Amino acid sequence: MADFLKDLNEPQKQAVQATDGPVIVIAGAGSGKTRVLTYRVAYLLSIGVSPFHILALTFTNKAAREMRERVARIIDPSKAKSLWMGTFHSMFARMLRAESDKLGFPQNFTIYDTADSKRVIRAIVKEQQLDDKIYAPSYVLARISNAKNNLISALDYNEDAEIQTQDIQTKKPRLGLIYSLYQQKLRKASAMDFDDLLFNTNVLLRDFPDVLYKYQQRFHYIMVDEYQDTNFAQYLIVKKLSANNENICVVGDDAQSIYAFRGANIRNILNFKNDYPDHRIFKLEQNYRSTRHIVNAANSLIAHNKEQIRKKIWTSNQAGDKVQIVQSANEGEEASWVAGQIFTLSQQKQLPNSAFAVLYRTNAQSRALEEALRKLNIPYRVFGSLSFYQRKEVKDLLAYFRLVINPMDEDAFLRVVNYPPRGIGATTVNKLLAAGRDTARPLWEVALDPLAHGVSMHGGSRARLEDFTSMIQGFSARLFKLNAFDMGELIVNKSGIRKLHFEDGTPEGLNRRDNTEELLSGLKDFVQSSVAGEGEPPPPTLDEFMQDIALLTDADTKNNKPEDTDKVSLMTIHAAKGLEFPYVFITGVEENLFPSQLSINTPAELEEERRLFYVALTRAMVRATVVYTQSRFRYGQVNFCEPSRFIDELDPGFVDHLGGLGKRIRRGDSQENFGESRRKFKSLTREIHEQDPVRPAPENDSSGFSILDPATLAVHMKVKHQRFGTGTITAMEGSGQNAKATVSFQSAGKKQLLLRYARLKILL
């Protein structure tokens, strides 16, 4: 037995050594899933399996990188480098580049990220003179993505009567047309989006039996991480590749399947036993992360799901604190209490800010939490905010990189042809676009020789366009002669981007310059981390860097800057999957918010919401605190809230009801009191809604602030608000209960106030 296996517990060791035939490893939260995958790869290498015969698929580059580094430490760095180990998208992009000619693509095809795809869709909607509110790019892209993940091509989409009927019923009958035009634009630009990488791999393996056979012979052992998150396209690729010898090992946890909205299909993991009747199953049930009370509370919750692979998660960790259940009056009080708890705990226990995470069901909930943390000067980071790679100046430079690698990339051409400004205006560009449509030629070809494509332009415009295309051609000629960093530096300097940023002395300009320099630092790190030794390949070129970042996921960009490491983490529960924190606050645990009102229509949807709450609980290592409010301001009015059904489903032996923000309920009566307060709350809510849908606060208070009659207010009037201070009314709208005032405050900026709640003083 390999010496390194002594680091594993018995179930982990059994899963690692079961190398032949189909294997499913059900890995509970905090049970060492990554360790099992890593050691399984290391074990295969230790018994003589070639690294070229192993395919390991993950969902993030970060997970693949960590696994490869661990394998290198355990076995042999040179073998680790030769593994086919990476995300589904990166591995299949590699395969598609090698076989690109079979599908009619060049090897240097561009990979569009979500922002690129939305921009193309937005352009199509505009060209077709459609309403961009009905055909919102996010919705259209989600619809196309869902179709591709289910292997429905644009042609299939438009020929399917049921799909067309659905689109007509939702008053979006042109979705099929947009899908077709979108695919045409991608093909014309020699580009694929994320979903195409999976869709086209399926096409490749379906239409070219020799290619399928080639990769079946190459990959003797296939491993898949987070199998519960796979969609139909991923499932089918893995099934085809492993069909020859069925040496497939999938690792996952059905209790953490929370991405149905992205196309993930929990049936893939639940039906593994049917796909592979001679499978072996191993259950990793020891949790190394959390205290006993957290583990047991989570077990009691997930037991309510019917669709699951049964397991009993346990831990040898100390009992710790029970899961705290806290009631607050509204979202403001909820946020203030959470911020206060973080402040107190960090002071009392000398904890870093990074020890705390605040989780919520929807991104909109972060606003009140951010305000409360700012008031206490507690640094925080909101996950899911604008990614570094989505900032304009970064996207501009990346567009240069894309165009140098693939001049057919029309989206990149349009983005940089006049950036920095070089006198190539919209009139010239529109002429080129029109000629490209009329002659069915790529935009780049038209730009290289406008006259040959019937484009007339005056001498100055033609000279400036020629300078631009010559510059790009010059960059392209050096693409494989320079490493990624040197190429990036050349483009920043020669294009005029660096000069532009240095001439802009505004704070925004300095920020853009810093972001551009940060991207160059990333290029330098990429090159230095791949420094070649004797007999190894040369340093990576720009095209390799672009593929690396094009396939980054949200999880790969978490904590990517040192200054972000000691901050409280604010994030949705979906974003928190795979992470862990000593102290976790789960906020907004109320009916119609969590579970979401949109996700309680079917048993399957409700079970996914319950799994989401299970994921939230199991992020906590030391203490989990669940907070719900009695009222919450949503959709322009105060809504009275009911505690989530999930709170009722937690075993009372593992929870501690603290009542109204820290007022502890007596131990013996906690569940009875909670149930009684819930019944009273429902009765009270019914009475309130029957008598007065919105119960206003007292009209006056001793401070002189009051709820004013809208008729007493007017535009340009100066007022004072209890929290925002002094400001000027800039607009009035609505009447009666719906009257609103827009006020420009000196310190807080512009705010829209619902006047039936806002306490104001008239100053002038």
Side-chain angles (χ1 to χ4, degrees):
M1 182 184 76
D3 289 343
F4 55 82
L5 295 186
K6 67 181 183 301
D7 298 332
L8 305 176
N9 64 32
E10 193 54 37
Q12 290 173 335
K13 191 184 302 179
Q14 291 173 5
V16 164
Q17 292 181 296
T19 56
D20 296 327
V23 169
I24 180 170
V25 181
I26 301 300
S31 63
K33 166 181 66 70
T34 305
R35 169 170 287 206
V36 167
L37 274 171
T38 303
Y39 279 62
R40 186 179 172 88
V41 172
Y43 181 73
L44 286 169
L45 294 174
S46 74
I47 61 176
V49 176
S50 167
F52 295 100
H53 292 325
I54 298 173
L55 173 64
L57 299 168
T58 68
F59 272 84
T60 68
N61 288 295
K62 180 181 176 184
R65 187 167 55 251
E66 288 176 354
M67 285 174 58
R68 191 186 298 274
E69 288 169 356
R70 290 187 192 182
V71 170
R73 288 196 296 269
I74 295 169
I75 295 292
D76 182 345
S78 63
K79 288 184 177 179
K81 282 187 177 181
S82 301
L83 291 164
W84 274 65
M85 179 184 285
T87 65
F88 281 88
H89 292 90
S90 64
M91 290 297 96
F92 299 142
R94 180 177 173 182
M95 189 184 295
L96 287 169
R97 290 198 192 280
E99 313 293 341
S100 60
D101 60 310
K102 294 179 174 61
L103 298 178
F105 278 87
Q107 276 194 329
N108 63 337
F109 63 80
T110 299
I111 300 171
Y112 278 9
D113 64 17
T114 301
D116 300 326
S117 295
K118 286 181 182 177
R119 194 160 46 250
V120 174
I121 290 169
R122 196 175 291 111
I124 293 170
V125 169
K126 186 176 180 180
E127 287 168 8
Q128 296 299 311
Q129 299 181 330
L130 300 173
D131 189 333
D132 60 3
K133 293 183 178 62
I134 295 173
Y135 294 96
S138 294
Y139 177 87
V140 174
L141 182 59
R143 185 75 168 160
I144 293 173
S145 176
N146 185 262
K148 289 182 181 180
N149 286 334
N150 286 285
L151 303 183
I152 300 169
S153 68
L155 181 63
D156 296 334
Y157 190 102
N158 283 287
E159 291 183 349
D160 190 298
E162 185 178 347
I163 291 175
Q164 294 306 303
T165 300
Q166 288 174 354
D167 287 349
I168 291 169
Q169 288 173 344
T170 58
K171 299 182 179 179
K172 296 178 178 66
R174 309 299 291 277
L175 279 171
L177 172 65
I178 297 173
Y179 186 3
S180 296
L181 293 174
Y182 174 67
Q183 289 306 116
Q184 289 173 21
K185 282 185 177 289
L186 289 180
R187 174 67 76 162
K188 190 175 178 182
S190 297
M192 297 186 196
D193 66 15
F194 270 28
D195 299 305
D196 284 326
L197 297 176
L198 303 179
F199 185 95
N200 288 334
T201 301
N202 271 289
V203 171
L204 185 69
L205 300 180
R206 180 196 68 195
D207 294 351
F208 299 92
D210 56 322
V211 174
L212 174 60
Y213 180 76
K214 169 183 171 181
Y215 287 102
Q216 284 177 338
Q217 295 303 305
R218 170 170 291 176
F219 302 130
H220 298 180
Y221 295 90
I222 297 175
M223 279 161 279
V224 184
D225 190 15
E226 305 285 13
Y227 192 62
Q228 78 280 349
D229 293 335
T230 53
N231 59 34
F232 178 64
Q234 291 163 327
Y235 160 83
L236 205 58
I237 294 169
V238 169
K239 200 167 191 309
K240 284 180 179 178
L241 291 176
S242 63
N244 203 37
N245 53 38
E246 293 195 343
N247 288 335
I248 177 173
C249 172
V250 302
V251 182
D253 182 7
D254 56 293
Q256 296 185 69
S257 179
I258 60 173
Y259 293 121
F261 69 98
R262 291 182 185 169
N265 189 347
I266 193 174
R267 309 307 311 177
N268 293 348
I269 193 167
L270 295 179
N271 290 340
F272 187 86
K273 61 183 185 296
N274 301 327
D275 289 333
Y276 304 95
D278 58 341
H279 74 284
R280 283 179 287 175
I281 184 168
F282 300 93
K283 296 181 181 180
L284 309 183
E285 297 173 303
Q286 183 175 0
N287 180 299
Y288 291 94
R289 174 187 298 153
S290 307
T291 61
R292 284 205 300 278
H293 280 132
I294 293 172
V295 168
N296 292 334
N299 281 343
S300 68
L301 171 82
I302 204 64
H304 289 81
N305 272 11
K306 292 181 179 178
E307 291 278 11
Q308 63 171 297
I309 298 170
R310 296 286 171 183
K311 53 191 171 298
K312 182 67 174 177
I313 306 301
W314 63 277
T315 184
S316 60
N317 295 339
Q318 61 183 5
D321 296 333
K322 291 186 176 183
V323 173
Q324 297 180 339
I325 311 295
V326 176
Q327 170 193 293
S328 65
N330 52 53
E331 68 267 32
E333 187 176 274
E334 171 189 61
S336 295
W337 183 82
V338 169
Q341 286 291 295
I342 291 172
F343 182 83
T344 302
L345 285 167
S346 64
Q347 295 295 312
Q348 289 178 347
K349 298 179 180 290
Q350 295 297 297
L351 297 169
N353 294 309
S354 57
F356 302 94
V358 187
L359 310 182
Y360 34 79
R361 181 64 181 82
T362 65
N363 276 306
Q365 291 169 253
S366 76
R367 183 199 57 77
L369 293 160
E370 290 185 67
E371 287 184 8
L373 290 167
R374 280 200 298 267
K375 284 179 182 176
L376 294 178
N377 292 318
I378 299 172
Y380 64 88
R381 180 186 178 197
V382 181
F383 285 77
S385 56
L386 190 65
S387 161
F388 173 77
Y389 290 104
Q390 295 304 325
R391 294 167 186 167
K392 180 187 180 302
E393 57 277 6
V394 176
K395 291 289 286 182
D396 289 337
L397 184 50
L398 293 178
Y400 265 105
F401 294 174
R402 283 167 41 192
L403 190 62
V404 169
I405 296 164
N406 172 20
M408 299 302 170
D409 189 335
E410 183 174 301
D411 183 67
F413 180 98
L414 293 173
R415 188 169 188 121
V416 302
V417 66
N418 198 39
Y419 174 80
R422 51 176 60 90
I424 302 175
T427 301
T428 300
V429 172
N430 287 334
K431 285 181 180 180
L432 298 175
L433 285 168
R437 285 193 296 270
D438 293 343
T439 61
R441 303 308 303 162
L443 182 59
W444 178 253
E445 286 188 16
V446 178
L448 285 176
D449 194 351
L451 293 178
H453 293 85
V455 180
S456 62
M457 58 179 71
H458 60 73
S461 295
R462 188 165 60 250
R464 287 189 288 271
L465 182 63
E466 186 176 331
D467 286 345
F468 173 72
T469 54
S470 296
M471 178 180 69
I472 298 299
Q473 287 177 315
F475 292 151
S476 298
R478 305 184 70 176
L479 179 61
F480 301 109
K481 297 176 182 177
L482 300 176
N483 66 46
F485 172 71
D486 290 340
M487 192 72 220
E489 276 273 299
L490 179 68
I491 292 171
V492 168
N493 289 323
K494 293 289 187 182
S495 66
I497 288 176
R498 181 166 273 151
K499 181 175 182 289
L500 178 73
H501 288 170
F502 270 97
E503 288 175 349
D504 186 350
T506 66
E508 294 79 9
L510 292 173
N511 190 50
R512 285 191 285 270
R513 185 176 70 189
D514 288 345
N515 286 331
T516 300
E517 296 303 322
E518 181 64 28
L519 178 58
L520 291 174
S521 295
L523 280 166
K524 196 167 193 67
D525 290 344
F526 180 71
V527 170
Q528 289 179 342
S529 65
S530 308
V531 172
E534 189 175 346
E536 293 184 16
T541 49
L542 191 62
D543 60 314
E544 295 174 71
F545 173 80
M546 286 301 291
Q547 172 153 314
D548 195 57
I549 65 164
L551 297 172
L552 287 176
T553 67
D554 291 342
D556 293 316
T557 57
K558 291 172 185 173
N559 291 326
N560 62 340
K561 287 189 176 184
E563 61 267 28
D564 288 328
T565 56
D566 191 27
K567 295 183 179 179
V568 174
S569 296
L570 304 184
M571 66 183 79
T572 64
I573 301 161
H574 283 101
K577 186 170 176 290
L579 303 178
E580 59 183 32
F581 304 89
Y583 293 83
V584 171
F585 295 86
I586 310 167
T587 59
V589 187
E590 301 132 26
E591 283 294 299
N592 297 327
L593 180 56
F594 197 9
S596 167
Q597 189 172 13
L598 302 174
S599 302
I600 55 176
N601 299 312
T602 67
E605 289 176 343
L606 183 59
E607 291 207 350
E608 174 138 340
E609 287 288 296
R610 187 177 288 111
R611 291 194 295 269
L612 190 59
F613 190 45
Y614 175 84
V615 167
L617 282 174
T618 54
R619 298 312 92 199
M621 302 163 70
V622 177
R623 182 189 296 171
T625 303
V626 175
V627 191
Y628 67 93
T629 66
Q630 293 177 303
S631 66
R632 188 176 292 275
F633 190 82
R634 298 181 76 195
Y635 311 119
Q637 64 180 16
V638 171
N639 293 271
F640 292 96
C641 306
E642 179 183 346
S644 170
R645 68 190 75 188
F646 298 149
I647 295 176
D648 268 348
E649 293 174 356
L650 297 171
D651 188 313
F654 308 122
V655 301
D656 201 353
H657 290 276
L658 301 185
L661 292 185
K663 183 181 178 183
R664 188 175 297 277
I665 296 173
R666 284 182 302 165
R667 190 183 188 91
D669 298 331
S670 62
Q671 188 63 19
E672 292 83 351
N673 284 355
F674 179 70
E676 180 61 24
S677 69
R678 186 172 184 138
R679 285 188 291 275
K680 287 180 179 177
F681 173 79
K682 290 180 181 178
S683 175
L684 175 63
T685 303
R686 280 194 296 272
E687 290 175 18
I688 290 170
H689 281 288
E690 287 166 6
Q691 297 172 16
D692 182 3
V694 177
R695 185 171 56 182
E699 291 192 0
N700 296 285
D701 63 22
S702 58
S703 65
F705 291 94
S706 60
I707 294 174
L708 301 173
D709 183 342
T712 65
L713 301 174
V715 174
H716 304 311
M717 186 177 282
K718 287 193 180 300
V719 293
K720 189 170 184 178
H721 186 275
Q722 283 178 305
R723 180 154 54 118
F724 301 136
T726 303
T728 303
I729 298 176
T730 60
M732 298 280 295
E733 62 181 275
S735 60
Q737 293 286 298
N738 295 316
K740 298 175 185 175
T742 301
V743 184
S744 180
F745 290 101
Q746 292 174 3
S747 57
K750 191 172 284 189
K751 304 284 183 183
Q752 190 174 67
L753 307 176
L754 197 60
L755 292 175
R756 70 175 186 263
Y757 298 115
R759 295 179 177 282
L760 299 169
K761 280 182 187 177
I762 297 176
L763 300 180
L764 191 61

